[in-house]
Amino acid sequence: MDLQSFIRHIEKLDKRYLWHPFTQMKEWAEGTPVIITEGRGSFLKDISGKWYIDGVSSIWVTVHGHRKKELDDAIKGQLDKISHSTLLGLTHPPAAILAEKLVKLVRKSLPPPLGNTPLTLSPLERGAGVCNRGEFNSALRTPHSGLSRVFYSDNGSTAVEIGLKMAFQYWKHKGVKSKKTFLSLSNAYHGDTIGAVSVGGIELFHSIFSPLLFKSYKAPSPYCYRCELGKTHPSCKLHCLREMEGIMKKHHKEIAALIIEPIVQGAGGMIVSPPGFLKGARRLCTKYNILMIADEVATGFGRTGKMFACSHEDVSPDILCLAKGITGGYLPLAATIAAGDIYNAFLGEYEDFKTFFHGHTYTGNQLACAAALANLELFRKEKTLERMQRKVEFLKQALDGIRAFSHVGDVRQKGFMVGIELVKNENTKEPYPLEEKTGWKVCSRAREKGLLIRPLGNVVVLMPPLSVSLQELKSLVRITAEAVREVTE
Ligand SMILES: *Cc1c(COP(=O)(O)O)cnc(C)c1O
């Protein structure tokens, strides 16, 4: 088969048999798909030989680039031993060694938990009369120990499901029967399984499933550009936190955990929370005996410029969910890391049935764990975080040009997570109607120019691999700027 026939063949098979995620397939059937056959560094090559910058790290996963020798070798090396064996009743070296490395990494990156420091209330909190330390039975206190146990699964949604179920069952074991629900944020995205959607807050994705979802409380999103409370930062003094506290104060007896994407709400539109928001949320969780689940599926492994986003505000969650970048973007793997106290609450005699009854077939896959180990080793060896700081700074300055465009309402950046919010009217912040597909048009223009990016509604997302070069970053921003200008002006 010659190349042109092969391309037509693949396109035909795709359109006849595949169902793509988050895709209107009628529209897909009318378009011409980009067929990716190769990758190298920050680039992807399509079947006709055209190269593109991978501007969103293959949906937020690629860390050290494609075809990274060390990652390739680690997987090949593991392949010569075994690809998969189960963690149900058996163990294996990559899973055990990686668990230790993850726990040590988390401990190095995050502060010791503040759980057992005496709970002192700020004058503001005392003034509000919200609670005194003595109001709580000490058996109900949130955990005092650091993150120390790794539970594997294979994607971000399952990492979240596991976190939610752990938190729920933890309180059962502690004899607290009433904590049956969760608190999450508007604009939150925690994955697409039913539990994860139940704590999600993106109307467009989630509302259709509402009859299937369990109840959860919603605190305001820290979305300063479009504050749902109608306030302005910083004069608001983080009013959104007060709203959160209001919900906690009223419902803490029902709330097992707060689940939060620390620092950046990703799929909600790259919403960067104002300084102090995360730390404030942590303090409120401690104060109201609510576990904190940090969903670092997107933000983990250097995305925000630190190993974990929680490090920006020196926050330790009680449960930490990791996925996307954990294997450097090579293979599906996820980890839910729980505090020692949570783990301990599940210990008992067999017949106590305190077991955490949860597991996935490919839990802790050997190849994926081998890739994750090589990923961590690369962070160390190549000083990935240190070396990205200059690039983050460069990106920040380069984005100033785009900020000035008349249909760019807001440019948000934390490390290598960037959201460019397009607006119909800059002064009124009137958004483009979604059906105009402005974000899509920008991305499709960028594609013609050799950059692959994918929008979130009216937000153009940039998320290059951490290994991107300054030269590549320059092209990434230049093409994005051209595409935005050509589509909106
Ligand atoms: C992507 C993402 C998830 C879901 O991960 P999947 O691997 O797609 O299931 C969960 N939480 C956050 C914050 C994410 O960005």
Side-chain angles (χ1 to χ4, degrees), residues 59-60 154-158 160 189-193 196 261 264 266-267 295-299 323-324:
I59 306 297
W60 318 359
D154 40 44
N155 65 79
S157 307
T158 54
V160 165
Y189 178 81
H190 298 292
D192 292 328
T193 51
E261 293 159 90
V264 186
D295 176 358
E296 294 234 24
V297 169
T299 52
K324 291 197 168 95

Side-chain angles (χ1 to χ4, degrees), residues 70-314:
E70 289 83 349
L71 286 163
D72 292 1
D73 288 347
I75 293 170
K76 287 176 190 161
Q78 184 58 45
L79 209 45
D80 286 336
K81 296 181 195 133
I82 184 172
S83 296
H84 179 73
S85 61
T86 182
L87 285 185
L88 292 159
L90 300 172
T91 191
H92 58 74
I97 295 167
L98 177 62
E100 186 211 21
K101 291 215 186 303
L102 285 173
V103 168
K104 289 200 163 155
L105 180 67
V106 165
R107 294 227 164 147
K108 199 177 87 182
S109 312
L110 304 179
L114 34 75
N116 60 354
T117 55
L119 196 65
T120 47
L121 302 181
S122 70
L124 187 115
E125 289 157 343
R126 261 198 305 273
V130 273
C131 83
N132 301 308
R133 190 174 153 74
E135 273 179 37
F136 294 113
N137 177 335
S138 65
L140 309 189
R141 297 224 62 77
T142 46
H144 300 166
S145 64
L147 295 168
S148 62
R149 287 284 168 168
V150 177
F151 195 103
Y152 291 116
S153 60
D154 40 44
N155 65 79
S157 307
T158 54
V160 165
E161 297 286 340
I162 289 160
L164 296 173
K165 286 175 76 177
M166 269 177 185
F168 174 85
Q169 195 174 338
Y170 166 77
W171 289 115
K172 296 289 155 285
H173 292 331
K174 298 293 275 186
V176 183
K177 297 214 169 57
S178 60
K179 283 184 176 283
K180 290 191 246 202
T181 187
F182 295 89
L183 175 59
S184 58
L185 270 57
S186 314
N187 293 319
Y189 178 81
H190 298 292
D192 292 328
T193 51
I194 294 295
V197 171
S198 295
V199 291
I202 302 178
E203 198 64 14
L204 179 66
F205 301 170
H206 299 154
S207 60
I208 179 113
F209 299 109
S210 57
L212 302 181
L213 308 179
F214 58 72
K215 173 178 135 176
S216 71
Y217 292 105
K218 287 279 173 301
S221 167
Y223 187 8
C224 298
Y225 180 65
R226 295 184 189 278
C227 178
E228 62 193 87
L229 305 168
K231 305 277 176 189
T232 309
H233 184 71
S235 63
C236 62
K237 300 200 178 120
L238 299 184
H239 195 79
C240 46
L241 271 183
R242 286 204 183 200
E243 291 282 318
M244 183 187 282
E245 172 151 26
I247 298 169
M248 287 183 171
K249 185 180 172 189
K250 201 158 160 209
H251 301 291
H252 64 86
K253 291 202 173 92
E254 298 161 66
I255 299 173
L258 165 73
I259 179 159
I260 186 169
E261 293 159 90
I263 307 291
V264 186
Q265 291 190 298
M270 297 296 144
I271 298 165
V272 180
S273 60
F277 179 79
L278 180 67
K279 189 144 194 127
R282 168 71 265 187
R283 295 186 67 239
L284 291 176
C285 284
T286 306
K287 179 167 160 185
Y288 289 98
N289 271 325
I290 290 169
L291 297 179
M292 180 188 240
I293 304 174
D295 176 358
E296 294 234 24
V297 169
T299 52
F301 300 99
R303 260 302 138 201
T304 65
K306 292 191 184 255
M307 188 53 85
F308 302 108
C310 282
S311 332
H312 288 284
E313 299 202 352
D314 262 346

